[in-house]
Amino acid sequence: MRGVLVSFGLAELIDKAILCVSELVTNVHQHAKGDLQLTVTVYETCVRVAVRDEGQLLPAPRHANARDTEGRGLFLVTAMSDACGLVSGTLAGGDGKSVWFDLAIPPGRRWPGRASGPVPTSPGDGGGTP
């Protein structure tokens, strides 16, 4: 995560991105099954990070009280990101689900000359639309 953001000159997004990724990956390890896949796509106006797993159980926010040591992950992702969501089933690339979040690229840092669409994060990465 850090390497992708630094390579695109977006180091100011690192702290938010790492916190959100950590929360989503932790959810997979605690509640889902199978392997997970982390995808980072840099678009003209935002960075989208998606964590996909093979589990059928959909995540749901919990209401943690002051003494709980768990139950705040989805709340933190919602609070720290500019948008977030969930895709399940075949739309997520097969069985399972993909939980994603977007971090906006500051307006002065957007990618000039691109009308729309992703900026590939690796050769051959076609990305998608946010």
Side-chain angles (χ1 to χ4, degrees):
M1 188 77 253
R2 183 182 313 274
V4 169
L5 293 175
V6 167
S7 72
F8 280 92
L10 298 170
E12 69 269 23
L13 300 179
I14 290 172
D15 290 340
K16 284 183 179 182
I18 289 176
L19 174 64
C20 291
V21 166
S22 173
E23 294 299 332
L24 295 183
V25 169
T26 298
N27 279 351
V28 170
H29 283 293
Q30 289 181 340
H31 306 291
K33 64 177 183 178
D35 295 330
L36 68 84
Q37 177 183 21
L38 175 70
T39 305
V40 180
T41 307
V42 180
Y43 293 94
E44 179 182 353
T45 59
C46 72
V47 175
R48 174 162 290 181
V49 179
V51 177
R52 186 187 179 292
D53 69 75
E54 299 169 4
Q56 300 298 317
L57 181 64
L58 300 180
R62 292 182 15 203
H63 295 284
N65 67 43
R67 294 181 184 208
D68 288 342
T69 58
E70 297 178 334
R72 295 178 183 84
L74 293 177
F75 172 78
L76 286 172
V77 172
T78 301
M80 298 300 291
S81 66
D82 295 294
C84 59
L86 167 73
V87 180
S88 63
T90 56
L91 292 176
D95 293 334
K97 64 189 165 295
S98 179
V99 181
W100 58 268
F101 66 88
D102 289 346
L103 298 176
I105 295 174
R109 309 287 299 288
R110 294 190 176 159
W111 303 101
R114 293 187 63 88
S116 64
V119 175
T121 57
S122 63
D125 178 10
T129 42

